[in-house]
Amino acid sequence: MEEHLTVGRVAALAGVSVRTLHHYDEIGLVRPSARTAAGYRAYSAGDVERLREVLGYRRLGFGLREIADLVDDPATDAVAHLRRLRGLLLEQRDRAAAMVTAIDKELEARAMGIRTTPEDQLKVFGAQLYEAIGSAYPATRRTDPRIAARIWDALGDARTVLNVGAGTGSYEPPDREVTAVEPSAVMRAQRPAGAAPCVAASAERLPFADQSFDAAMAVSTVHHWPDPVAGLREMRRVARRVVVFTYDASSTGWLQRFWLTRDYLPQFADLLVGWPSLADMTRAIGGRAEPILIPWDCADGFFEAHWRRPEAYLDERVRRAVSVWTRVGPQAEQRAVDSLRDDLSSGRWAENNRDLIALDAAELGLRLLVA
């Protein structure tokens, strides 16, 4: 028999006032649809599920009208809402981590008698993940021609291409008509002169009609999306062909593939809790997955790029251009860097990874999704 919860019980469990619940009822946002044995209005399981979504979005700062649009969307089920809420909460955590890092740096500076500039002090409150790491991108993040060749070949004969989560424009094919989508103002500002026109929008809500493009591409960006599956479906909606460069965290032993996550940064696994499986992602676009081997001298400084050049991970500039390091937090980052530095000095890293030295390319879980 389905359990029904009274208004008072729901208020106590959710940490909100009865008055708030009555207000949600009055405006039609969440209406208790059941009755207790005594005839009082009560919340069914479905009502509670909707209320959970409302409260989740509310505590993330969404307005009630925005929330109503979100929870009334017939194309979004409970699982999709949970994934979206999780992504938004991770983004909020990333912003908080960036603020903590900035505050720690200022405390260190002040301990040495150094006063930070007014501009730096205000930047603490404007920090977002890309705003925190985006300025480091040009130094280490650029198009690797071998990976680009795979991506561009997968685009086939497409003449019009939508680049979703385009960042600063890496991997945009120069011989096609490209339209870029990028939500971060910092990243948009760093797009070079002559780059494709860029629209401020998110992957989950692309402002284009169905089948507007021959192809849609996304490169090293899906892990930043609040709802990856919804974003991939949107790409499928607006284009007849989809090409996505992303990461597989669903195969057995995936955390052990890369010595950095295996031996120094196991916290990486926490970042991918709830991350859709490779099957989920390929199903979202109706396509297939192809492995992408990472060359030892990869020009694009993403997380796995320096697998045969471990000293690179000791470089602050390299780490700041990769979101993983910001997301795991400064303590985990410092432990990993200190431990890696010690193992490089002692020769332990070379001993533990001697089989890598002869490899020209490594299979580290990077995948090209093609539909």
Side-chain angles (χ1 to χ4, degrees), residues 94 97-98 101 128-142 187 220 223-224 258 260-261 265 268 271 299-306 312-329 333 366:
D94 294 336
T101 299
Q128 296 181 4
L129 180 58
Y130 270 144
E131 275 65 9
I133 68 174
S135 60
Y137 263 59
T140 63
R141 302 299 297 271
R142 56 183 68 91
M187 301 301 277
S220 297
H223 55 287
H224 290 300
F258 185 23
L260 183 56
T261 56
L265 202 66
F268 180 65
L271 304 182
D300 188 353
F302 51 76
F303 184 57
E304 299 85 358
H306 306 287
Y313 294 105
L314 305 181
D315 188 335
E316 175 80 10
R317 296 171 303 169
V318 169
R319 300 198 305 277
R320 290 288 68 79
V322 177
S323 63
V324 168
W325 296 103
T326 299
R327 295 180 68 185
V328 297
E333 177 181 1
L366 281 300

Side-chain angles (χ1 to χ4, degrees), residues 43-59:
Y43 290 83
S44 68
D47 300 332
V48 170
E49 191 171 82
R50 181 180 174 94
L51 177 62
R52 177 193 61 194
E53 294 160 3
V54 167
L55 294 176
Y57 288 122
R58 188 67 174 142
R59 290 173 185 177

Side-chain angles (χ1 to χ4, degrees), residues 96-158:
M99 290 178 66
V100 169
T101 299
I103 290 170
D104 286 345
K105 288 181 178 179
E106 179 165 351
L107 288 172
E108 292 174 5
R110 294 206 174 208
M112 294 183 290
I114 302 171
R115 293 295 296 271
T116 55
T117 67
E119 290 82 0
D120 286 338
Q121 292 172 22
L122 291 176
K123 285 178 183 176
V124 171
F125 298 99
Q128 296 181 4
L129 180 58
Y130 270 144
E131 275 65 9
I133 68 174
S135 60
Y137 263 59
T140 63
R141 302 299 297 271
R142 56 183 68 91
T143 299
D144 182 273
R146 293 152 293 190
I147 296 174
R150 291 286 303 275
I151 294 170
W152 296 346
D153 182 63
L155 291 173
D157 61 356

Side-chain angles (χ1 to χ4, degrees), residues 279-290:
D280 289 336
M281 291 190 284
T282 54
R283 192 179 303 116
I285 62 171
R288 66 183 187 279
E290 303 173 358

Side-chain angles (χ1 to χ4, degrees), residues 249-272:
S250 57
S251 58
T252 303
W254 66 270
L255 193 65
Q256 306 302 310
R257 279 188 303 232
F258 185 23
W259 56 263
L260 183 56
T261 56
R262 181 190 67 214
D263 300 332
Y264 303 98
L265 202 66
Q267 295 85 355
F268 180 65
D270 297 335
L271 304 182
L272 296 178

Side-chain angles (χ1 to χ4, degrees), residues 1-339:
M1 187 173 180
E2 185 178 20
E3 181 183 3
H4 297 151
L5 299 179
T6 65
V7 174
R9 179 62 174 154
V10 168
L13 289 170
V16 297
S17 68
V18 171
R19 182 177 180 181
T20 295
L21 296 181
H22 284 323
H23 179 60
Y24 291 169
D25 184 4
E26 290 168 2
I27 65 176
L29 189 58
V30 184
R31 285 180 169 154
S33 61
R35 294 279 179 177
T36 67
Y40 295 106
R41 299 183 70 186
Y43 290 83
S44 68
D47 300 332
V48 170
E49 191 171 82
R50 181 180 174 94
L51 177 62
R52 177 193 61 194
E53 294 160 3
V54 167
L55 294 176
Y57 288 122
R58 188 67 174 142
R59 290 173 185 177
L60 283 162
F62 285 79
L64 294 181
R65 289 185 180 179
E66 292 178 293
I67 293 171
D69 289 340
L70 289 168
V71 297
D72 287 334
D73 182 1
T76 306
D77 60 15
V79 172
H81 278 298
L82 287 173
R83 283 178 171 162
R84 179 184 291 160
L85 285 168
R86 183 180 182 277
L88 291 168
L89 287 166
L90 285 175
E91 184 180 345
Q92 188 177 75
R93 184 188 69 181
D94 294 336
R95 289 196 298 268
M99 290 178 66
V100 169
T101 299
I103 290 170
D104 286 345
K105 288 181 178 179
E106 179 165 351
L107 288 172
E108 292 174 5
R110 294 206 174 208
M112 294 183 290
I114 302 171
R115 293 295 296 271
T116 55
T117 67
E119 290 82 0
D120 286 338
Q121 292 172 22
L122 291 176
K123 285 178 183 176
V124 171
F125 298 99
Q128 296 181 4
L129 180 58
Y130 270 144
E131 275 65 9
I133 68 174
S135 60
Y137 263 59
T140 63
R141 302 299 297 271
R142 56 183 68 91
T143 299
D144 182 273
R146 293 152 293 190
I147 296 174
R150 291 286 303 275
I151 294 170
W152 296 346
D153 182 63
L155 291 173
D157 61 356
R159 298 307 308 164
T160 59
V161 178
L162 180 69
N163 187 15
V164 182
T168 59
S170 295
Y171 298 99
E172 290 179 357
D175 58 343
R176 321 207 190 195
E177 182 183 334
V178 177
T179 300
V181 168
E182 172 53 52
S184 168
V186 167
M187 301 301 277
R188 292 196 304 272
Q190 294 183 86
R191 293 177 63 81
C198 191
V199 177
S202 65
E204 295 84 352
R205 293 194 174 189
L206 296 173
F208 306 103
D210 294 357
Q211 301 297 292
S212 295
F213 301 90
D214 294 334
M217 59 182 280
V219 180
S220 297
T221 180
V222 175
H223 55 287
H224 290 300
W225 300 354
D227 190 339
V229 170
L232 292 170
R233 287 174 178 163
E234 273 287 88
M235 293 178 68
R236 174 81 276 183
R237 179 184 66 80
V238 302
R240 63 176 177 83
R241 191 171 186 82
V242 177
V243 178
V244 178
F245 182 50
T246 188
Y247 183 77
D248 174 19
S250 57
S251 58
T252 303
W254 66 270
L255 193 65
Q256 306 302 310
R257 279 188 303 232
F258 185 23
W259 56 263
L260 183 56
T261 56
R262 181 190 67 214
D263 300 332
Y264 303 98
L265 202 66
Q267 295 85 355
F268 180 65
D270 297 335
L271 304 182
L272 296 178
V273 172
W275 173 252
S277 68
L278 187 65
D280 289 336
M281 291 190 284
T282 54
R283 192 179 303 116
I285 62 171
R288 66 183 187 279
E290 303 173 358
I292 296 288
L293 301 185
I294 306 305
W296 77 270
D297 57 347
C298 183
D300 188 353
F302 51 76
F303 184 57
E304 299 85 358
H306 306 287
W307 59 270
R308 217 183 83 177
R309 296 168 287 169
E311 295 83 1
Y313 294 105
L314 305 181
D315 188 335
E316 175 80 10
R317 296 171 303 169
V318 169
R319 300 198 305 277
R320 290 288 68 79
V322 177
S323 63
V324 168
W325 296 103
T326 299
R327 295 180 68 185
V328 297
Q331 292 183 335
E333 177 181 1
Q334 194 60 56
R335 283 196 298 269
V337 171
D338 289 346
S339 183

